[in-house]
Amino acid sequence: MSSPPIHVTVLPASTQSGEATIRALLNAEQQPIVRGIYRDASKAPKEFTSNPRFDAAKGDIDLWSGLDFRGSDAVFYNPPPPFDGRDPAVFAAQTANNVLATLKRVPSVKRLVVSSAMGSQHERGTGMLRLNHVTDLVLKKAVSEVVIVKPAYYMQTWAAAAKAKGAEKLCFESLLEDPNYKIPMVSVEDIGKCCAEYLLDISEASKQSLRTVDLHGPRDYNAVDVHKAIEKATGKKWDLVNIPREGLAEYFGKEVPEVYVPDFVEMITAMLPGGVLAAEFEGGENIVRGTIELEDALQRMVSE
């Protein structure tokens, strides 16, 4: 007699890693039943809603409204950042505790997979990533099995540059200061595949109360690599501009609300030589490597 399908809940389902995880789950040979939680369920992609094994549900982790984990064997959580002026750590504590309270009411959940970030073990010095530190602390004992996946720098962060096809002067701005400085990067597709595998691996043999995984791409990359990959993906020539660390505040002042500029500056500075994250780039024994190269990830983004 075959085992019943695994039920997985993903929230928020609209994030990049949330969508990638849902896609990987729906393509998995185990054929799990997947519930995605959205603030507006009508915005769930048709790619998902057309699948009979997927259900789009309305819920809001900020308000603890509509969080429905009933019947779930596993839950995926990717903490979103605030953009309304609230302190990232305070916001993270509130939302993570809402997830924790919901998990405590649903004993069927055997495993929680948290999509965190590199350096989330640091309480300070990582800027916006402190929201991941707080989330990990709140949820590390939420259920019997917790897996904290810590992805490296998202390759998809370069998407804005790769999609700027219509500009008169194509300019790729790198925040890494030194064009030859390499850091670990990973594609959102690899993040989704990795998280899906942990969500579905809930057999007795896999049980471990807490597991932390550093997720990197197949190799490290620098700004020169990104520059070449963007030019190949778009078929156009781009100027490479390296932003010095003293120029980060001005750069982010044009990109994010003013109150969050220091957090973003500190996050990038932490990755540069001498930063608290730079020492981790050599990796450790818990590293898992994805398979998608930067060039392929950027080509997919441009195609989409």
Side-chain angles (χ1 to χ4, degrees):
M1 184 175 179
S2 61
S3 301
I6 295 173
H7 286 240
V8 180
T9 294
V10 174
L11 81 155
S14 58
T15 62
Q16 287 188 48
S17 58
E19 286 198 349
T21 300
I22 291 171
R23 188 172 293 112
L25 287 168
L26 293 177
N27 289 330
E29 63 179 20
Q30 294 95 324
Q31 296 193 318
I33 305 299
V34 182
R35 177 187 298 126
I37 295 182
Y38 300 83
R39 279 187 174 180
D40 183 352
S42 68
K43 293 184 177 180
K46 187 175 181 180
E47 170 194 357
F48 300 156
T49 58
S50 61
N51 191 310
R53 292 186 288 109
F54 178 80
D55 171 52
K58 179 179 174 59
D60 191 333
I61 56 170
D62 189 5
L63 303 175
W64 198 19
S65 170
L67 299 191
D68 185 4
F69 299 168
R70 288 175 298 175
S72 299
D73 300 296
V75 170
F76 169 88
Y77 178 54
N78 175 213
F83 280 100
D84 58 2
R86 281 181 288 179
D87 180 271
V90 174
F91 178 76
Q94 176 185 331
T95 52
N97 274 295
N98 287 345
V99 173
L100 177 64
T102 307
L103 287 166
K104 293 300 183 184
R105 299 187 312 194
V106 186
S108 66
V109 178
K110 302 178 181 69
R111 174 167 290 183
L112 170 68
V113 174
V114 179
S115 181
S116 186
M118 56 182 177
S120 65
Q121 73 273 22
H122 297 289
E123 183 179 359
R124 57 180 61 88
T126 60
M128 187 60 75
L129 300 184
R130 58 199 170 100
L131 74 87
N132 298 102
H133 173 76
V134 172
T135 300
D136 294 356
L137 284 179
V138 172
L139 295 176
K140 65 181 182 179
K141 295 181 180 180
V143 295
S144 59
E145 300 176 57
V146 177
V147 181
I148 297 176
V149 178
K150 298 164 62 174
Y153 195 78
Y154 277 41
M155 292 176 181
Q156 273 66 16
T157 303
W158 311 115
K163 290 182 179 178
K165 299 177 183 178
E168 292 183 9
K169 185 177 181 181
L170 299 176
C171 179
F172 162 55
E173 296 179 307
S174 168
L175 304 180
L176 300 181
E177 191 173 45
D178 178 355
N180 297 306
Y181 176 61
K182 290 182 179 286
I183 68 170
M185 303 181 192
V186 66
S187 74
V188 72
E189 292 89 354
D190 277 331
I191 296 171
K193 289 177 183 177
C194 177
C195 291
E197 288 175 5
Y198 285 119
L199 287 163
L200 297 174
D201 179 26
I202 54 177
S203 63
E204 289 293 329
S206 73
K207 288 202 170 182
Q208 183 177 342
S209 60
L210 177 64
R211 184 185 311 179
T212 301
V213 177
D214 294 316
L215 180 59
H216 293 191
R219 60 191 179 91
D220 293 352
Y221 303 89
N222 58 29
V224 174
D225 297 324
V226 179
H227 183 214
K228 291 179 179 178
I230 288 177
E231 289 193 330
K232 184 170 182 179
T234 60
K236 297 178 181 292
K237 290 295 182 181
W238 294 66
D239 289 337
L240 171 59
V241 177
N242 298 291
I243 307 295
R245 64 182 71 199
E246 58 267 22
L248 290 173
E250 180 182 356
Y251 174 87
F252 282 115
K254 303 173 185 176
E255 302 292 324
V256 301
E258 183 179 358
V259 67
Y260 296 124
V261 169
D263 283 310
F264 278 88
V265 170
E266 187 176 65
M267 179 178 68
I268 297 301
T269 304
M271 300 179 194
L272 301 180
V276 297
L277 298 182
E280 302 176 17
F281 290 165
E282 294 300 321
E285 59 184 21
N286 293 324
I287 284 186
V288 171
R289 289 199 174 272
T291 61
I292 298 175
E293 291 278 359
L294 173 66
E295 191 174 283
D296 296 326
L298 288 177
Q299 185 63 62
R300 293 182 189 185
M301 285 187 285
V302 171
S303 299
E304 292 172 359

